[in-house]
Structure formats: structure tokens, C-alpha cells
Amino acid sequence: MKSMDNSIVVQQATKADVLPIAQILTQSWRAAFKELFSSDELTQIASEKRFCFILENVLSCDKGHLRMALRGGDPAGEIFWLSGQQNMDAEIVSLFVVPQAWGQGVGKQLLLQAEKEIQAERDNELIELWTFQKNVHAQNFYERMGYTCSKRMRKSEFGGLLEIQYIKNVKAQGIKI
């Protein structure tokens, strides 16, 4: 029986969270990008096995920061960021929420938690992220969260799709810890 509690808890991910996060990524990728990639491409890119491999490497190398959101006790989203990236203080590399929790505050809680931790780490200020140019849903979300489109673009490693950069100055936005 599923819990009726819809509270959202964001926690640091551990090796025990690899499979649930891989499942989050697989479900989210397949739902969010079904119009951007062929089904063969999505099957290759968005597989639990591939995501488990990537996540195990991330956690074993202690590279970056990985958080998982639980909604009503069930895995519902993930966020991963790197600190000290080129001209920015941090880069949000990945933020995904299971489709059944879209629009229910999970992504917002994950992003706010990351922003607080990024700002607290050496008093960082500038955060960047990249999203597919065709992913209007994500762009609208980031803009609602105070991110500004820089108009910088790059080719993605996924099918050569274009990605567009978003930036936020968390200090100027007044993120409180």
C-alpha cells in the first residue's frame, strides 16, 4: 500500500541509492525526451544498467554531489552537481524527477537544496546548467527558479542536439541557508 504522505525529503545519495536513482533517470529520460530521440536511441541512452554504471563511478570517485528526493518515502528525483567548474562556481549536471511526480515540487526542492549547498561551499555564487534547446518544459522551470538564459549554446554528447546555458547568481537572488 502506497503512503498517503506526500512530503518531500532531499538526502545525500549513497551506494544503496544507485538502483533507485538509475530507475528515476531511466523513467524520466524516456518520458521527457521521447520526442527528441528515436526509441532505439532512448533504449541505448536511458537504460538502468548504463545509469547504474555511471552512478557507481560518481559515488566511488567521490566526484561531485549527488542527492536523491523521496516523496512520501518513495524515490522521486535526483540532482547531481560539480563544484569549481571553469568560470562558474558550480554546474548542475543532472536534475530529473519521475514523471508521476512532475509539477509536485520535487524538482524545486532538489534545486533549492543544491543552491543552498553550493552557496555554503566556499561562499559560491554562480551556478550554471545546460538543457536541451528543445526542452521548453525544463527551460520554463529554470526560469521560474530564477535562472537566466545566457544564449550560449553547445552540441550535446547525445545525438548532437543543441544545449542552451542557464545561469543563476545565488547571492544576488538572496538564497538563504
Side-chain angles (χ1 to χ4, degrees), residues 2 32-33 51 62 86 88 90-91 95 109-111 125 129 139 141 144 146 149-150 163 171:
K2 288 281 184 187
F33 304 136
F51 288 132
D62 196 27
Q86 296 177 1
M88 299 292 154
E91 178 184 357
L95 170 57
Q109 289 304 311
L110 283 163
L111 194 54
E125 299 177 20
L129 59 87
Q139 292 171 30
F141 167 72
R144 283 192 310 274
C149 180
S150 73
E163 294 178 330
K171 211 170 232 179

Side-chain angles (χ1 to χ4, degrees), residues 21-35:
I21 293 173
Q23 291 168 338
I24 290 165
L25 289 165
T26 301
Q27 290 175 40
S28 300
W29 263 81
R30 289 182 179 178
F33 304 136
K34 63 183 177 229
E35 305 297 323

Side-chain angles (χ1 to χ4, degrees), residues 71-89:
R71 184 173 169 267
D74 296 323
E78 67 77 38
I79 191 165
F80 175 69
W81 72 90
L82 298 169
S83 298
Q85 296 304 107
Q86 296 177 1
N87 296 330
M88 299 292 154
D89 294 314

